[in-house]
Amino acid sequence: MELGYPTIEEAIDKFETYLDAAYDAGFKSMIVIHGYGSSGSGGGIKQTTPPDLKTNSINEIGLTVSSYKYTEPNLTDLAGTAMSVTMKAINYGVEYQGTLALEQDWYLLGEADYNNGSVNYSGSGTINNIPQFYYNFKGAVGHDFAFDDFVLSPYLGYGYRFLSQSGGGMTSSTGSGFYDRQSTYNYIPIGLIHRMAVNNKKATLVTTFEYDYFISGNQYSGLSSLNGTRNGVTYAGIPNANNSQNSGYGLNLSVMYKEDSWGVGPYMKYWNIGQSNTVYGNFTRNGVAYTGGVYEPANNTIEYGVKAIYRF
């Protein structure tokens, strides 16, 4: 490549010619011995050649911090007055993402994340510091489509989300009892990744948009912890409840600045889940028998934050 002191463009053309010839001859790999350049910051070829924007086999481990807000917006109290329930938290989490490049520009994608943060409840009174965590698993297959200055990488897969709140035995500021809650979501992630070179082609800007098609969900409510006497009223026989959820969707958006071994950027997660079915159970109030119905109201969750990752 150095013979005859070619220009950068001529050297790249010569290298591509050798590379094509090696490929046609059946070679699987090549060793390229090159100089560092006289500039002290890498040769001109390195600075001119853009990074490989296609999906590579790589692992990423990250730390996240985010603002979390859950809302049940369309409720009424026992007197028929409109109200809403909100739960807010600052979440701290850890995240893993791995990609495996396959032949013919196909790739596999795997993700797992865990988030933890105590929530503050506002609805039938207020409760602070309810323990909460959630985790999420996702697996997908995708394909790279390369253009002149960017690569688009759509993917499709399966995802699972589990959330747990440990509020059983806690009491609100108005004397209302709280209970343990567990939510599970099954969904299909449909995503698109956009990659482009930035910072004089020393880094990559990776934008990911994902639509999550909601398949099914289950809401467990540990209502049996409400049995007992509060405010002069005694409840007995209240059963736990499991409600099915069959409508909703999720959205995910992230914009990450990535260099060879690290990356940083903002992200957003959103869920909009429809009202569940209603399940019925028998209980007593001050010794009088009743039958009651329980459902999980329509709700939405929004979370936005920032993450920093190590790449290896």
Side-chain angles (χ1 to χ4, degrees):
M1 293 172 62
E2 189 174 319
L3 183 64
Y5 298 99
T7 65
I8 292 173
E9 291 76 13
E10 290 172 342
I12 291 176
D13 289 342
K14 186 178 293 186
F15 173 72
E16 290 178 345
T17 299
Y18 289 142
L19 188 64
D20 290 340
Y23 179 81
D24 292 339
F27 289 97
K28 299 299 183 181
S29 62
M30 290 179 60
I31 296 176
V32 179
I33 301 174
H34 60 85
Y36 187 68
S38 60
S39 67
S41 61
I45 293 177
K46 176 183 177 182
Q47 297 176 9
T48 302
T49 304
D52 184 5
L53 297 177
K54 291 184 179 180
T55 303
N56 295 309
S57 296
I58 196 167
N59 298 291
E60 298 178 349
I61 294 179
L63 299 176
T64 64
V65 58
S66 62
S67 173
Y68 172 97
K69 182 181 179 182
Y70 168 92
T71 305
E72 296 173 357
N74 302 312
L75 299 177
T76 56
D77 61 18
L78 295 177
T81 303
M83 63 171 291
S84 65
V85 165
T86 62
M87 287 182 270
K88 299 179 181 180
I90 299 297
N91 280 344
Y92 300 93
V94 61
E95 177 181 292
Y96 168 80
Q97 182 185 93
T99 53
L100 177 63
L102 305 175
E103 294 183 354
Q104 298 181 340
D105 292 335
W106 290 93
Y107 68 91
L108 298 178
L109 169 69
E111 289 185 11
D113 62 82
Y114 172 86
N115 289 266
N116 190 299
S118 297
V119 301
N120 295 326
Y121 165 90
S122 177
S124 299
T126 60
I127 308 175
N128 293 331
N129 299 319
I130 302 171
Q132 174 180 284
F133 71 86
Y134 77 82
Y135 57 80
N136 184 77
F137 296 108
K138 183 190 308 178
V141 60
H143 190 275
D144 290 331
F145 295 91
F147 298 87
D148 288 342
D149 299 319
F150 64 92
V151 169
L152 293 178
S153 305
Y155 62 85
L156 178 71
Y158 167 77
Y160 175 84
R161 179 180 184 265
F162 175 83
L163 179 144
S164 176
Q165 286 183 350
S166 301
M170 302 181 76
T171 303
S172 76
S173 59
T174 59
S176 298
F178 206 73
Y179 47 88
D180 293 345
R181 302 173 69 248
Q182 295 178 356
S183 299
T184 58
Y185 296 168
N186 296 281
Y187 62 94
I188 297 175
I190 307 169
L192 180 65
I193 303 171
H194 176 277
R195 298 185 188 90
M196 61 183 294
V198 294
N199 192 15
N200 294 321
K201 302 178 182 178
K202 297 177 183 177
T204 305
L205 190 67
V206 182
T207 302
T208 303
F209 175 77
E210 179 181 294
Y211 174 83
D212 294 324
Y213 178 81
F214 189 78
I215 303 173
S216 65
N218 184 81
Q219 180 69 36
Y220 166 81
S221 301
L223 300 177
S224 60
S225 64
L226 300 179
N227 290 310
T229 301
R230 289 184 309 278
N231 298 328
V233 179
T234 299
Y235 293 91
I238 299 177
N240 297 326
N242 282 282
N243 294 98
S244 298
Q245 298 163 303
N246 296 302
S247 65
Y249 65 92
L251 300 173
N252 285 273
L253 176 65
S254 67
V255 181
M256 297 293 295
Y257 174 91
K258 296 183 179 182
E259 295 201 0
D260 289 341
S261 62
W262 64 276
V264 65
Y267 68 93
M268 183 275 294
K269 302 177 182 180
Y270 177 78
W271 284 103
N272 188 305
I273 306 299
Q275 180 174 307
S276 74
N277 68 332
T278 302
V279 296
Y280 296 90
N282 300 317
F283 65 97
T284 63
R285 182 178 186 272
N286 289 336
V288 180
Y290 291 88
T291 297
V294 176
Y295 66 89
E296 178 69 7
N299 60 82
N300 58 73
T301 303
I302 186 166
E303 183 176 3
Y304 54 90
V306 64
K307 58 183 171 181
I309 60 173
Y310 170 67
R311 313 181 73 215
F312 60 99

